[in-house]
Amino acid sequence: MVVGLEVHVQLRTKAKIFAPEAVTFGERPNSFVSWVSLGYPGTLPVLNRACVEAAIRLALALECEVASEFFFSRKNYFYPDLPKGYQITQEAAPLARHGHILLRLPDGSRHRVGIERIQLEEDTGKSLHDQDPFDTLLDYNRAGIGLVEIVSEPDIRTPQQAMAYLAHIRRLVRFLGISDGNMEEGSLRCDANISVRPLSQKEFGTRVEIKNLNSISALGKALEYEYRRQVSLLEAGQRIERETRTWDGSQTVPLREKETADDYRYFPEPDLPPIRITAEWLAELQASLPELPDKLFDRLISEYGLSVEDAVLLTEDRPYADYFAALTDVGVKPKVAASWINGPIRAYLNEAAVSMEEFPLPPAQLAKLIQLVEDRRVSLSAAREKIFPYLVQHPTESPEEVAQKMDLFLLQDDGQLEAWIAEVLAENPDKVETYRKGKVGLLGFFVGQVVRRSGGKADPREVQRRLAEKLA
Ligand code: ADP
Ligand code: MG
């Protein structure tokens, strides 16, 4: 299998790339359109600097060579979602070239995928085929939103690598804050080019392009399907046709014959001057990059000693990394911070079906609760199971007062604790003997007895420590 991906990232800038109206999603159709986006005669595009900067930052994060000068081209074709009759895109002089991604695969191995080029262009309007029984309706709110197209080299060899590549780009655009990367809403879109060849063959086979892959798993399934289809055609002695197909959820079906570049009559956009990128501007943008997820991943392991599993989870999305940083900034130990985020917080998010961005409890509040545990004033289980769920619902209340109100402060009276331990041991002489003969599993039984006697006020860790000492 040989695969190259074309990924489109919709830029979350305030305004569109060549027109002043806002970038929106899910608003009333055609309420964010200007004469420019509708292609009225006499209107002229004005380039939005923020789109260029977002694209350059992404290019830098993908280790590309950024051009010192680039220009736009017109790609001419007729379709109702494109009222101008041409798309402003790039062809001969793309913004950036020759980058790469070093994929981290689920089995721990790495795989390098080259980036052929990165270009800036405008989005089209949206055809709505399912709103009216007879007609296709058009919504131009999307027309003219800035897009970055990332074209990979044909370096991908398995569906797993393709999925990891797409997940990598989604994570990256979110870390950079240039797009929400939401595939369901179309802010991240992917077309896959796939061909097959016998293992012994050097030259690539004829490629087929698959469109409408609207999730990472759809990409994996479509490649698997298309690979089998192409292999069985070749094995039956037939040829692969160069064509564009679409994924319908269970198979790839023909969409159209592939157009060639000649059909589009590309030529340089006369309404926009070439753009020069100075070394100072580039350096400024380079300096504005946040710590990228791969670098953070390595640092979480080497500097903080976190496990690979914890590091994977914390770098999965920007809000997790930000929350982790906020906790450690106020002094929470990295391992403790990771265990809270990847434990109770994730469990809560799953259950409540909300994203980390919407998690209501501010890190400073959680840090106070964690401090109560560190100071042995409440037990870890009380903090996780009782105080934490309450605080999530009442995020402004003080963790200390909540612990007080719920009567969860641990007993600080040593004498009382010693007395309960003595009682439990005195009441169970046979079990004490069995324990001393080697049945150390009984320790849990003794701890349970003491904690019960305390009405849950004794710190189980402390009780266990003392019991182990006494029974030794
Ligand atoms: P087009 O204009 O036809 O879409 P692009 O240059 O935009 O062409 O994209 C071509 C994509 O197809 C790239 O991602 C490239 O890596 C990939 N590709 C090129 N040749 C092959 C091949 N033989 N098999 C699979 N993918 C290929
Ligand atoms: Mg293309």
Side-chain angles (χ1 to χ4, degrees):
M1 179 187 294
V2 174
V3 172
L5 298 180
E6 294 168 69
V7 176
H8 285 92
V9 178
Q10 206 179 58
L11 298 174
R12 285 275 123 184
T13 42
K14 278 199 196 121
K16 295 181 177 179
I17 182 166
F18 303 119
E21 62 267 27
V23 169
T24 58
F25 179 81
E27 294 293 337
R28 197 166 60 83
N30 299 313
S31 53
F32 291 87
V33 290
S34 66
W35 295 340
V36 179
S37 304
L38 290 178
Y40 272 44
T43 58
L44 289 169
V46 176
L47 179 59
N48 180 352
R49 185 186 176 101
C51 292
V52 181
E53 296 195 330
I56 295 178
R57 294 171 83 232
L58 180 57
L60 290 171
L62 291 170
E63 320 243 2
C64 290
E65 295 158 18
V66 177
S68 53
E69 189 172 293
F70 70 93
F71 60 84
F72 290 97
S73 292
R74 284 192 185 179
K75 178 180 182 179
N76 299 281
Y77 66 98
F78 174 77
Y79 203 73
D81 64 14
L82 187 72
K84 292 199 301 298
Y86 59 86
Q87 181 194 28
I88 303 181
T89 175
Q90 297 196 274
E91 199 224 4
L95 180 77
R97 289 178 192 273
H98 306 142
H100 71 270
I101 291 177
L102 196 54
L103 296 177
R104 192 187 320 271
L105 296 162
D107 66 3
S109 65
R110 312 294 304 256
H111 180 79
R112 188 183 194 277
V113 178
I115 308 280
E116 184 186 312
R117 66 173 192 273
I118 290 187
Q119 65 189 39
L120 253 180
E121 58 191 32
E122 60 178 336
D123 209 344
T124 60
K126 207 156 142 187
S127 307
L128 308 170
H129 302 292
D130 53 1
Q131 307 278 309
D132 182 280
F134 304 108
D135 291 315
T136 289
L137 304 184
L138 286 151
D139 176 7
Y140 292 109
N141 284 350
R142 197 180 72 178
I145 294 182
L147 289 181
V148 176
E149 179 175 356
I150 306 164
V151 182
S152 86
E153 298 284 355
D155 289 344
I156 295 165
R157 294 290 175 274
T158 65
Q160 288 71 29
Q161 290 173 6
M163 291 160 73
Y165 175 91
L166 193 51
H168 184 101
I169 290 182
R170 187 177 59 179
R171 186 167 51 230
L172 201 55
V173 299
R174 287 181 178 166
F175 264 79
L176 293 170
I178 63 175
S179 173
D180 58 30
N182 188 331
M183 293 195 72
E184 263 161 54
E185 295 181 357
S187 357
L188 188 70
R189 309 200 279 272
C190 173
D191 302 331
N193 292 272
I194 163 171
S195 62
V196 300
R197 59 175 174 175
L199 279 176
S200 56
Q201 185 182 310
K202 271 241 157 16
E203 314 79 60
F204 291 156
T206 303
R207 71 176 141 125
V208 164
E209 182 169 356
I210 313 173
K211 297 214 171 268
N212 291 326
L213 301 165
N214 50 19
S215 68
I216 291 181
S217 70
L219 169 64
K221 285 182 198 150
L223 289 177
E224 197 70 60
Y225 178 92
E226 182 60 20
Y227 170 76
R228 283 177 214 279
R229 190 187 73 87
Q230 292 186 14
V231 168
S232 42
L233 276 178
L234 292 180
E235 283 178 347
Q238 287 169 289
R239 284 182 340 122
I240 309 293
E241 296 299 334
R242 178 83 192 275
E243 62 175 345
T244 302
R245 299 174 74 88
T246 178
W247 173 246
D248 75 0
S250 53
Q251 56 182 343
T252 65
V253 291
L255 196 63
R256 57 172 183 255
E257 282 176 21
K258 180 73 196 173
E259 303 88 347
T260 64
D262 290 348
D263 298 327
Y264 291 124
R265 300 294 192 272
Y266 281 102
F267 63 84
E269 168 60 60
D271 290 340
L272 290 163
I275 312 300
R276 200 162 304 131
I277 302 167
T278 62
E280 298 80 61
W281 192 17
L282 200 58
E284 216 174 274
L285 291 168
Q286 179 84 56
S288 79
L289 295 182
E291 182 175 37
L292 299 178
D294 271 351
K295 220 161 150 234
L296 176 61
F297 178 91
D298 292 340
R299 199 164 62 82
L300 290 177
I301 293 172
S302 62
E303 202 171 300
Y304 290 151
L306 298 189
S307 66
V308 171
E309 292 76 29
D310 273 344
V312 166
L313 288 170
L314 289 177
T315 52
E316 185 179 90
D317 211 345
R318 175 93 182 250
Y320 292 107
D322 287 347
Y323 204 91
F324 175 81
L327 282 179
T328 50
D329 278 353
V330 293
V332 178
K333 290 183 203 131
K335 280 187 186 169
V336 174
S339 77
W340 273 89
I341 295 170
N342 295 331
I345 293 184
R346 273 184 189 267
Y348 164 79
L349 297 177
N350 281 340
E351 202 168 300
V354 294
S355 73
M356 184 67 204
E357 260 161 315
E358 300 160 304
F359 182 61
L361 189 62
Q365 283 285 86
L366 181 58
K368 285 186 197 148
L369 175 58
I370 293 173
Q371 195 56 48
L372 292 177
V373 178
E374 294 289 299
D375 294 344
R376 307 230 156 182
R377 297 180 61 205
V378 300
S379 71
L380 181 61
S381 62
R384 286 174 76 135
E385 283 146 36
K386 301 213 171 96
I387 306 176
F388 173 77
Y390 180 90
L391 278 176
V392 171
Q393 303 301 328
H394 307 86
T396 56
E397 285 188 34
S398 133
E400 173 131 22
E401 279 166 27
V402 173
Q404 184 79 59
K405 193 161 68 183
M406 292 179 131
D407 193 22
L408 291 170
F409 276 122
L410 291 171
L411 177 82
Q412 306 291 334
D413 177 348
D414 269 5
Q416 180 62 72
L417 188 54
E418 287 294 318
W420 282 324
I421 289 174
E423 272 170 46
V424 167
L425 294 182
E427 281 164 25
N428 296 283
D430 44 337
K431 290 216 168 61
V432 170
E433 205 183 315
T434 328
Y435 176 92
R436 290 204 166 114
K437 280 188 184 140
K439 200 150 180 270
V440 290
L442 273 172
L443 190 59
F445 163 80
F446 294 120
V447 174
Q449 290 292 311
V450 176
V451 171
R452 185 167 317 151
R453 199 153 299 211
S454 76
K457 310 284 283 172
D459 179 3
R461 282 180 303 180
E462 182 60 17
V463 173
Q464 172 158 352
R465 194 183 63 76
R466 293 188 188 209
L467 272 165
E469 241 174 59
K470 292 234 155 43
L471 287 163

